[in-house]
Amino acid sequence: MKTEIRTAAQGAVPTAPSADAAEINELLRRYGVKFGIYKNGQFKEQLFPFDPIPRIIEAEDFKAIEKGLIQRVDALNRFLFDIYHEKNIIHDGIVPEDFVYISSGYLPQCEGLTPPENIYSHISGIDLVQGKDGVWYILEDNLRIPSGASYPLIARELTRATSPATFSGGAIIDNRNYSKLLKETMDFVNRGGINAILTPGRYNAAYFEHSYLAELTGATLVQNDELFVEDNMLWHKTYSGGKTRIGALYRRISDEYLDPLTFEPSSLIGIPNLMEAYRSGNVAIINTPGNGVADDKGIYYFVPKMIEYYLGEKPILHNAPTYLPFYKDDLEYVLGNFEKLVIKDVAEAGGYGVVFGRDLSEEKLEEFRNTLIKEPRRFIAQEVIDFLDLPIIEDGGQVMRKADLRAFVLSGEKTKVWASGLTRFSRNPDSFVVNSSQGGDFKDTWVLSR
């Protein structure tokens, strides 16, 4: 039986937002709150436009969402430890080995490595949508380097500054504790030394977030040329010519570029011998390398089974109805029902590799069918959820647009869900794809305290 978790009607805002969108977006521009994307081989930096009408989640509804997210992330962390150690979930036939070892996110270099406190995903970005029936569905698990927490943080800070009355009612949970949660997470796994955030530099898509989170948490923002490994420990070069030990490194670069001596040898943004320091237990890496095997879209299908297998519990939150062409029956169903489904390439992210069967011409449909038959492991298919429309400001009036929610779950001494989140929406009235890289905008998420 599905658990129905509902949000407050938008008319239930405790204090109507009086913040001016143009003013806040101008401040965001002035403060450099941007994101960047690579398109056609070129880096383009652009604003991430803010909409002042918040998403509202009632207190009781958030408690149910929170419980379900904690359950899911705890199971995923158990899965990651198992996959890189005993592999019981494979031996017991719950997850086929094809979905582990063929995954682009599985890293054989991480076999047998045990992260500090056995935590793999310290910061998890879980994408949800709410159907028009009120039920919340998990769309994706992001366990590598999920981004986006900084945008609702600074947007609310600017709203608070420009329109103090907006939050005067006291019924909205203050979201400024994200930096405290993040610092507690880093401190819990720190192996001795300072906390640092590793950025590839200002041309990275999320550079604003890297610098902002470093400022809020008191962590040191570093680039690879400031770091070195000596005596199997990670060090930061100080301006005076000395060195400071790093005990926890919140890396914001992809696994394959972390250490050119372990992963991609051509990497110019990694740290040679970082993985040796990690293997020696002298530094925590946040998030742990190798997490990509758990947020593979093919593995997503098995997460409800993981929850039952590792925790002995029924899933509180539900996946979108999903089919694996890897299985013969599912393949036959997908081939016969393309027009009802959305097909996703398991190796893609950011809204790329998503195809709605109803949008394909007969020629493209036949081409896709042939590809699916040849490479069934490469895709999953999902029923199209008619998810909730939220009001946004457009041309001086309100219109309704599709929106999702990225919730942030932090795993330290305990697993905690941030009572906020990044709500992304599409400006295109016909689009279900809300990712910023696909032209989506964002709004704040208000969780009510009562």
Side-chain angles (χ1 to χ4, degrees):
M1 181 178 177
K2 293 181 177 178
T3 303
E4 294 197 3
I5 305 170
R6 301 174 183 276
T7 58
Q10 291 297 318
V13 179
T15 303
S18 55
D20 180 79
E23 182 180 4
I24 291 178
N25 277 299
E26 172 57 25
L27 289 171
L28 291 172
R29 184 197 65 77
R30 193 178 303 169
Y31 293 157
V33 183
K34 301 177 182 179
F35 72 95
I37 57 173
Y38 282 94
K39 194 169 184 180
N40 299 324
Q42 291 186 327
F43 178 81
K44 295 183 179 180
E45 198 171 46
Q46 60 194 65
L47 290 173
F48 192 10
F50 169 73
D51 183 82
I53 305 177
R55 162 174 250 150
I56 309 295
I57 303 179
E58 291 179 345
E60 287 304 311
D61 295 338
F62 182 75
K63 286 179 184 176
I65 296 170
E66 179 181 44
K67 189 175 179 181
L69 290 172
I70 290 171
Q71 178 195 61
R72 189 175 182 97
V73 170
D74 283 348
L76 284 163
N77 266 308
R78 294 275 293 272
F79 168 74
L80 282 161
F81 184 89
D82 187 17
I83 285 305
Y84 286 112
H85 292 82
E86 298 299 323
K87 302 169 181 47
N88 291 319
I89 201 166
I90 294 176
H91 301 326
D92 291 338
I94 308 299
V95 177
E97 62 182 5
D98 303 63
F99 280 84
V100 175
Y101 302 127
I102 298 177
S103 170
S104 60
Y106 166 73
L107 299 181
Q109 300 94 326
C110 296
E111 274 293 327
L113 295 183
T114 301
E117 310 298 336
N118 295 342
I119 300 170
Y120 280 80
S121 186
H122 310 83
I123 300 123
S124 305
I126 310 297
D127 294 344
L128 308 92
V129 294
Q130 186 185 25
K132 288 185 176 176
D133 57 359
V135 178
W136 284 87
Y137 297 92
I138 306 285
L139 281 190
E140 284 188 6
D141 304 294
N142 299 279
L143 310 182
R144 281 174 268 199
I145 42 174
S147 62
S150 63
Y151 299 107
L153 268 173
I154 193 165
R156 191 176 304 185
E157 192 64 33
L158 293 176
T159 303
R160 203 179 275 113
T162 59
S163 177
T166 299
F167 300 98
S168 60
I172 305 160
I173 295 178
D174 193 328
N175 74 347
R176 284 176 286 194
N177 69 330
Y178 185 80
S179 57
K180 178 175 181 287
L181 295 175
L182 181 55
K183 185 177 185 304
E184 286 176 350
T185 300
M186 291 191 284
D187 287 346
F188 182 66
V189 295
N190 189 299
R191 300 295 91 183
I194 64 170
N195 294 325
I197 296 179
L198 173 63
T199 177
R202 75 161 307 275
Y203 290 108
N204 180 263
Y207 180 73
F208 160 74
E209 178 159 283
H210 306 166
S211 56
Y212 189 56
L213 293 180
E215 178 184 346
L216 292 179
T217 60
T220 302
L221 185 67
V222 298
Q223 292 185 223
N224 70 311
D225 58 0
E226 303 169 45
L227 306 179
F228 65 97
V229 173
E230 184 177 83
D231 298 326
N232 278 342
M233 289 183 280
L234 181 63
W235 301 91
H236 179 231
K237 301 172 188 175
T238 63
Y239 292 113
S240 61
K243 63 183 183 181
T244 302
R245 185 179 167 189
I246 293 176
L249 185 70
Y250 179 14
R251 52 79 178 226
R252 297 300 297 258
I253 68 176
S254 299
D255 292 359
E256 61 268 32
Y257 301 114
L258 266 179
D259 182 346
L261 300 183
T262 300
F263 303 116
E264 175 52 55
S266 66
S267 173
L268 299 177
I269 57 174
I271 306 155
N273 291 313
L274 173 63
M275 291 301 289
E276 282 304 310
Y278 176 65
R279 286 187 186 94
S280 300
N282 293 327
V283 66
I285 300 177
I286 302 168
N287 281 340
T288 299
N291 281 7
V293 66
D295 63 25
D296 182 301
K297 291 183 177 66
I299 289 291
Y300 160 94
Y301 175 89
F302 298 99
V303 177
K305 296 181 180 182
M306 287 179 203
I307 292 170
E308 296 192 35
Y309 181 78
Y310 292 118
L311 306 181
E313 301 169 358
K314 294 290 183 184
I316 296 168
L317 295 170
H318 298 269
N319 282 5
T322 304
Y323 305 91
L324 283 188
F326 174 82
Y327 293 123
K328 183 181 177 182
D329 288 349
D330 281 13
L331 175 61
E332 290 177 357
Y333 179 83
V334 173
L335 292 173
N337 294 274
F338 251 94
E339 71 284 353
K340 301 178 185 177
L341 303 171
V342 54
I343 317 298
K344 297 181 179 180
D345 189 317
V346 300
E348 296 282 0
Y352 294 99
V354 176
V355 175
F356 287 83
R358 65 192 180 202
D359 296 335
L360 296 178
S361 64
E362 282 299 322
E363 182 182 352
K364 287 291 183 183
L365 196 60
E366 188 59 32
E367 182 182 321
F368 210 112
R369 282 196 180 100
N370 292 332
T371 302
L372 194 61
I373 292 168
K374 290 177 184 176
E375 303 177 76
R377 168 62 178 88
R378 183 180 159 188
F379 301 95
I380 64 169
Q382 294 179 325
E383 292 181 15
V384 179
I385 297 172
D386 188 11
F387 56 94
L388 199 67
D389 299 273
L390 297 181
I392 69 166
I393 301 294
E394 187 166 279
D395 297 328
Q398 287 191 24
V399 295
M400 305 298 286
R401 294 290 184 266
K402 300 294 181 191
D404 77 349
L405 170 66
R406 173 163 290 183
F408 291 89
V409 185
L410 293 97
S411 300
E413 186 172 6
K414 294 182 179 179
T415 305
K416 299 179 181 180
V417 180
W418 182 37
S420 186
L422 176 65
T423 292
R424 300 172 296 185
F425 64 90
S426 172
R427 283 281 174 192
N428 182 345
D430 301 317
S431 177
F432 282 68
V433 180
V434 300
N435 304 70
S436 56
S437 56
Q438 302 293 306
D441 296 356
F442 83 102
K443 55 173 69 213
D444 196 1
T445 305
W446 291 1
V447 177
L448 305 188
S449 59
R450 57 178 185 269

